Amino acid sequence: MSDAGAGDLPSPDVSPTPETEKYWAAAAEGRLLVMRCADCDRFYHPPRARCPDCLSENTEWVEASGEGEIYAHSVTRQMGPPYHEATPYVVAYVELEEGPRMLTNVVTDDPEALSVGQSVEVVFHETDDGEYAIPRFRPV
Amino acid sequence: MADHTAAIAGVYEHPTREAPDKSTAQLHGDVAVGALEDAGLTKGDVDSYFTAGRPGRVMAMVDYLGLQGLEYVDSTDVGGTSYVSHVGHAAAAIAEGKCEVALVTMAGRPRSRSGDGGPPSGPQADFEETYGIGTVNMYALAARRHMHEYGTTAEQLAEVRVAASEHAQYNEDAMFQDPVTVEDVVESRLVSDPLHLLDCCVVSDGGGAVVVVSPEVADDLDRDCVSVLGHGEAVKHHDAGDIDLTYTGAVESGPRAFEEAGITHDDVDYASIYDSFTITVVETLEDLGFCEKGEGGEFVEGGTLRAPDGELPFNTDGGGLCNNHPANRGGMPKIIETVRQLRGEANEEVQVPDAEIGLSHGTGGSLGTRMTSTTLVLGGDR
């Protein structure tokens, strides 16, 4: 029986770029980073060098609280590799306390019980190659 | 404007839904011949070519089809709506005098050739693919949020499938020809909550083609031509974390197309609405202005979408939900069925009487991340 609990989900390797390496390295240390534009105060995700609003390069990494709430979620019951053996698992947008809505998984033994607006907190799963970690969320 | 308004002179939908013994390029060839024959034109008349997706770059297909002396090519790839965009782009190029006879072809074989894969990954890949996202669960997120904000129900989404299935029973080429009920839909297995199997479109091999011509060429043809009255496009995306899953790019593409055509949604007699999933239709109908935002679920109840007598007859070929979604790109059949309706050549039981203004609306990419909406307004006045 698969139950979408922590540890049942695949943790495929990621391919960091010069723009994203800090994000994945921080995740490996158990820290979730978001980006903020110092010029227009916009918080955003995924990371990129220039602000997606004003295109300023005056952007910075901010450590997120790791708390948020479910914006939308789906219990996926059919998927190809590498997730084929992980079904049912939960894909979701989590709205971070800092603002951005982040695509992620919610790990839980009871996916049917999740609801929009539910509070969640970040957890980290080491990638297969041991180099980085994947931020996911679990109900608080 | 009328002097420069391009027209669709020929269309062809490949009758196959499973093509294990043909190459994808071969299907392109089949549909090119079909659409040119429908228009009463020949390969030598073609001076511009538009395609996207498989099996190769536009140059490879020009070479394969043996097209000569082309003056204009366009390989805009915005997923399933690419071909709806191509018609708009062809009409613009024709209005500019860049070309006179534009051929648009598409084909693919996702049923017969697995592992075709998706488009190349963008810079977001690690932040998305890592989490086991797919087409269905991304649209499921949109459905979940729409239900949460507006109280839309699974039974209301099911009405979209029911209407499409009622139409498909008259289409002998449709992949699924048996009418279904709301109960059939909501009792089919969940693929990704809250979307059931019957909320999802078919996966089919096949293809289609369109020939767009200048008004001068159209006037010389014996075939009924359909004017390209308006075209609008819009890209909507994740917006670095500000994504709102309850609407589509149609909120922008629709008004652009309506304004260019000089019409409102009240003038639309028939609509082909991209139906990758039932939720795609509900959000799009709201965004195009056929009902208020959030009221799409109520709007589709009571047979609104059923031909010929519903308030807004839609997808009379059975749509992507029941008829055909070739290459996982459903835009081409959306154009073709609108042309059939405006020519009075739809299946008799679902032909909308005196249809003069038709809509073809395409959706490419994913409601859950980034997407392109394309709206075409077509007129059967030629």
Side-chain angles (χ1 to χ4, degrees):
Chain A
M1 271 300 282
S2 172
D3 62 6
D8 290 335
L9 292 170
S11 293
D13 297 343
V14 293
S15 305
T17 69
E19 280 184 299
T20 65
E21 207 276 338
K22 273 192 177 155
Y23 174 92
W24 295 110
E29 297 169 355
R31 297 183 299 127
L32 178 65
L33 300 185
V34 293
M35 291 201 81
R36 177 183 166 271
C37 174
D39 286 347
C40 73
D41 202 31
R42 163 86 191 261
F43 283 89
Y44 63 92
H45 174 85
R48 66 204 73 172
R50 289 184 186 274
C51 170
D53 269 0
C54 69
L55 293 180
S56 166
E57 279 189 298
N58 189 17
T59 55
E60 61 192 14
W61 297 95
V62 177
E63 186 166 338
S65 71
E67 294 176 5
E69 61 179 49
I70 295 174
Y71 171 76
H73 65 287
S74 176
V75 185
T76 301
R77 296 155 194 279
Q78 179 181 325
M79 185 53 64
Y83 272 80
H84 57 300
E85 289 176 346
T87 56
Y89 63 93
V90 179
V91 166
Y93 270 110
V94 165
E95 184 171 304
L96 302 176
E97 192 173 50
E98 292 76 15
R101 291 170 184 159
M102 172 181 170
L103 200 57
T104 188
N105 301 121
V106 176
V107 290
T108 171
D109 291 336
D110 191 5
E112 304 284 351
L114 296 175
S115 59
V116 173
Q118 187 170 352
S119 294
V120 292
E121 64 184 8
V122 72
V123 294
F124 296 92
H125 294 161
E126 190 175 79
T127 53
D128 290 341
D129 63 7
E131 293 284 313
Y132 300 102
I134 297 170
R136 290 178 167 128
F137 290 79
R138 68 182 174 207
V140 174
Chain B
M1 166 112 195
D3 288 346
H4 301 290
T5 302
I8 294 174
V11 294
Y12 184 77
E13 180 181 16
H14 206 295
T16 191
R17 300 293 179 267
E18 186 166 23
D21 301 324
K22 288 198 170 193
S23 75
T24 296
Q26 193 176 1
L27 295 172
H28 277 270
D30 290 349
V31 297
V33 168
L36 287 168
E37 281 182 359
D38 183 49
L41 292 164
T42 66
K43 189 181 89 166
D45 296 315
V46 175
D47 64 6
S48 49
Y49 178 64
F50 299 66
T51 196
R54 295 184 182 279
R57 287 180 170 178
V58 65
M59 293 176 285
M61 291 311 302
V62 171
D63 182 343
Y64 177 88
L65 294 170
L67 299 172
Q68 304 288 348
L70 294 187
E71 298 172 37
Y72 200 93
V73 292
D74 182 336
S75 56
T76 300
D77 195 332
V78 283
T81 194
S82 298
Y83 320 96
V84 189
S85 288
H86 290 165
V87 170
H89 298 180
I94 287 167
E96 284 290 314
K98 299 281 189 188
C99 52
E100 284 201 295
V101 177
L103 173 66
V104 185
T105 70
M106 70 83 53
R109 301 189 306 137
R111 278 182 91 184
S112 297
R113 184 169 180 267
S114 62
D116 260 4
S121 296
Q124 301 87 1
D126 277 347
F127 300 88
E128 297 177 354
E129 292 164 17
T130 302
Y131 295 108
I133 72 162
T135 308
V136 187
N137 59 22
M138 288 295 94
Y139 280 76
L141 293 180
R144 174 82 69 191
R145 190 68 197 183
H146 201 276
M147 288 175 163
H148 174 75
E149 289 197 26
Y150 301 116
T152 309
T153 66
E155 287 75 14
Q156 289 171 332
L157 294 184
E159 291 280 1
V160 176
R161 174 69 179 232
V162 170
S165 76
E166 293 282 344
H167 299 159
Q169 68 181 310
Y170 305 111
N171 180 356
E172 61 185 21
D173 292 327
M175 202 160 144
F176 296 125
Q177 298 175 17
D178 293 334
V180 300
T181 65
V182 168
E183 290 69 34
D184 291 334
V185 180
V186 299
E187 288 169 10
S188 65
R189 71 181 164 87
L190 283 165
V191 178
S192 199
D193 304 20
L195 295 179
H196 300 81
L197 182 64
L198 295 187
D199 286 303
C200 308
C201 67
V202 304
V203 175
S204 52
D205 297 347
V210 181
V211 181
V212 188
V213 302
S214 68
E216 293 78 17
V217 171
D219 287 344
D220 287 343
L221 294 173
D222 292 331
R223 194 73 168 99
D224 285 345
C225 294
V226 168
S227 296
V228 183
L229 300 176
H231 158 248
E233 284 179 12
V235 179
K236 181 206 172 222
H237 53 71
H238 177 249
D239 198 11
D242 270 356
I243 191 167
D244 180 338
L245 296 174
T246 63
Y247 73 94
T248 74
V251 294
E252 294 176 352
S253 68
R256 286 170 188 155
F258 292 156
E259 183 183 354
E260 190 169 282
I263 68 153
T264 73
H265 60 271
D266 287 335
D267 298 316
V268 175
D269 300 310
Y270 165 81
S272 285
I273 304 288
Y274 202 93
D275 56 345
S276 45
F277 300 92
T278 53
I279 184 63
T280 319
V281 176
V282 168
E283 288 199 7
T284 302
L285 290 169
E286 296 170 354
D287 296 339
L288 290 174
F290 290 106
C291 60
E292 294 295 316
K293 176 48 68 182
E295 294 179 2
E298 278 177 60
F299 181 76
V300 301
E301 289 178 320
T304 307
L305 301 178
R306 300 210 200 158
D309 299 322
E311 182 183 335
L312 182 67
F314 101 127
N315 297 7
T316 41
D317 59 339
L321 289 168
C322 299
N323 171 32
N324 195 11
H325 197 74
N328 300 323
R329 290 164 167 250
M332 179 61 79
K334 298 292 166 289
I335 305 162
I336 294 171
E337 183 65 5
T338 306
V339 171
R340 291 191 190 116
Q341 279 285 349
L342 297 177
R343 283 172 163 175
E345 296 176 359
N347 290 310
E348 189 181 342
E349 296 84 351
V350 292
Q351 174 67 50
V352 176
D354 305 317
E356 291 179 0
I357 299 288
L359 204 68
S360 291
H361 182 86
T363 304
S366 172
L367 259 59
T369 54
R370 58 203 62 84
M371 61 167 303
T372 297
S373 294
T374 317
T375 310
L376 283 181
V377 177
L378 304 178
D381 56 338
R382 297 194 74 93

